[in-house]
Amino acid sequence: MSLNVFDWLDPAWNAWDRQSAKLPHAVLVHAPEGHGAFEFAQGVAAALLCENRGSGRKACGVCVACRWFDQRNHPDFRLIVPEIMSEDPQSDGNESGRREKRSEQIRIEQVRELADFLSVGAHRRGNRVILIYPADAMNAHTQNALLKSLEEPPPATVFLLVTSHPDRLLPTVRSRCMRFALPAPDAERVLRWLKEQGVGHPGAALASAGGSPLGALEAAESESDRLRFLDGLKEPRFDPIRLAESIQGMPLGDAVDWLQRWSCDLLLSKFTGATRYHPERGSVIAEIAHRCRAEDICAYLRYLAQARSLSGHPLNAKLFVEDLLLRYRRLVEADS
Ligand SMILES: [Zn+2]
């Protein structure tokens, strides 16, 4: 849990100052995907818990409460996220493939467990803060379970519900929250920040991410992974296992996307000599396509389409990618 909220979120802090003079017990913080709403809400939570804030609006970063918050063990703070986002190393063990599937939803038990937290007084005589992100990861049952706490909140308790999709929350939940729409970030500072993060063409990256700062950063990082991956694919005798390792931890859907585009270009190149997605690699693709049979490329594309639908929840991520690549190698090794 970091106290370092991006400085490009300052317009959000200014708006927050104006709107939060009388802080309600529940706030619905919303912004488009990748605009830093979660990070901002963490900053707000830290500020609400800070014991040394004085008249400042942000957490001091040095008091005991801030240190606890930073180390994620402030007794008066609860962060509720889907298991898939939780950084608990305990649930990360993946030996022998026995790992249980980690939920993308916020489970109803997570919300029910709040009752215990709320039934005892605050440990530090200050605020108690509950941050729920993304709030739309709660289904209707879970939202209903939360409703009771939102209706009768204990004193000095603040719920921060963060989402990019406020319309996915029940009207009953929405109506109990003050709505806070994050204003657009400070564009100049976003560009400077992207540059500091090593993004080569911040302006272009930001534009292609639709103005989303975190989206631009993610796309830039994934772009360098993609290029490395494509470099691997074009090697005549690449090692599928090693190439799979090199993209470990990446969203599997990305790997399938890259292979789909690459294979589409193989087929296109075979018939027309042109490529659609990789014009800069046209000659390599033509060379590989020459070694493949068209019907094998089509079969591989059909297999990728099936894999696409499984990529969100494979039984074993490592085997999943290895299988994609082993089949690809078989395809490009075929003699025409
Ligand atoms: Zn502090």
Side-chain angles (χ1 to χ4, degrees):
M1 191 100 323
S2 174
L3 289 167
N4 297 322
V5 179
F6 310 121
D7 66 356
W8 43 263
L9 281 170
D10 273 356
W13 283 104
N14 296 337
W16 179 254
D17 282 349
R18 286 193 296 274
Q19 216 175 319
S20 67
K22 189 178 177 308
L23 189 67
H25 69 271
V27 185
L28 177 57
V29 181
H30 62 99
E33 209 83 61
H35 279 234
F38 179 45
E39 289 74 10
F40 175 74
Q42 288 179 55
V44 168
L48 288 169
L49 295 165
C50 174
E51 294 172 12
N52 191 26
R53 188 153 60 103
S55 57
R57 56 189 183 179
K58 294 185 189 174
C60 76
V62 293
C63 71
V64 63
C66 283
R67 286 208 307 275
W68 282 338
F69 187 84
D70 204 22
Q71 294 158 7
R72 296 173 220 205
N73 52 14
H74 195 295
D76 295 322
F77 177 67
R78 284 291 180 280
L79 174 66
I80 300 190
V81 295
E83 270 171 25
I84 201 158
M85 283 180 60
S86 123
E87 291 171 25
D88 179 3
Q90 289 271 304
S91 45
D92 245 348
N94 192 14
E95 298 156 32
S96 74
R98 274 186 298 123
R99 180 177 65 158
E100 278 183 38
K101 189 167 139 31
R102 303 177 74 192
S103 177
E104 291 175 20
Q105 290 280 308
I106 291 172
R107 290 176 298 107
I108 195 163
E109 293 80 15
Q110 290 175 272
V111 167
R112 286 191 179 137
E113 282 161 11
L114 277 179
D116 291 339
F117 172 63
L118 295 172
S119 66
V120 293
H123 291 76
R124 298 292 292 179
R125 286 173 303 176
N127 287 310
R128 236 178 331 200
V129 184
I130 298 113
L131 200 172
I132 305 181
Y133 173 79
D136 54 278
M138 293 184 288
N139 66 22
H141 292 298
T142 310
Q143 290 185 45
N144 271 318
L146 178 68
L147 206 52
K148 197 170 156 13
S149 307
L150 289 180
E151 276 165 350
E152 300 159 23
T157 300
V158 181
F159 286 85
L160 298 170
L161 278 63
V162 184
T163 179
S164 302
H165 307 283
D167 51 307
R168 292 185 192 164
L169 298 182
L170 297 177
T172 42
V173 169
R174 283 202 304 261
S175 68
R176 277 163 185 83
C177 301
M178 173 185 99
R179 278 181 85 134
F180 180 73
L182 225 65
D186 182 314
E188 219 169 276
R189 289 201 197 171
V190 169
L191 292 176
R192 199 169 52 209
W193 175 78
L194 284 172
K195 207 167 180 188
E196 285 162 11
Q197 308 307 309
V199 175
H201 302 283
L206 192 61
S208 70
S212 150
L214 299 174
L217 177 63
E218 201 179 306
E221 283 170 351
S222 134
E223 179 61 6
S224 64
D225 285 336
R226 187 180 73 92
L227 294 176
R228 214 175 35 245
F229 184 75
L230 296 184
D231 281 342
L233 284 186
K234 71 173 204 244
E235 295 299 325
R237 292 251 152 226
F238 78 96
D239 178 349
I241 310 293
R242 276 184 59 184
L243 190 53
E245 265 168 22
S246 76
I247 57 162
Q248 221 171 10
M250 293 263 327
L252 297 175
D254 286 1
V256 180
D257 276 350
W258 300 338
L259 283 166
Q260 277 179 319
R261 290 181 190 182
W262 184 261
S263 307
C264 275
D265 271 354
L266 286 179
L267 196 60
L268 199 60
S269 170
K270 192 152 187 80
F271 286 121
T272 69
T275 60
R276 177 175 172 196
Y277 299 107
H278 310 89
E280 76 289 358
R281 292 173 196 245
S283 57
V284 175
I285 287 177
E287 222 172 275
I288 300 172
H290 184 67
R291 299 202 300 269
C292 308
R293 298 189 319 177
E295 56 266 43
D296 290 343
I297 304 176
C298 292
Y300 186 62
L301 279 166
R302 279 197 300 277
Y303 157 76
L304 287 175
Q306 280 173 358
R308 187 84 189 78
S309 61
L310 292 174
S311 62
H313 39 81
L315 289 173
N316 183 318
K318 190 161 170 279
L319 286 181
F320 177 86
V321 180
E322 285 175 8
D323 190 47
L324 293 177
L325 292 170
L326 280 165
R327 286 173 192 247
Y328 172 78
R329 197 178 68 177
R330 239 176 281 149
L331 165 73
V332 299
E333 277 174 353
D335 282 318
S336 51

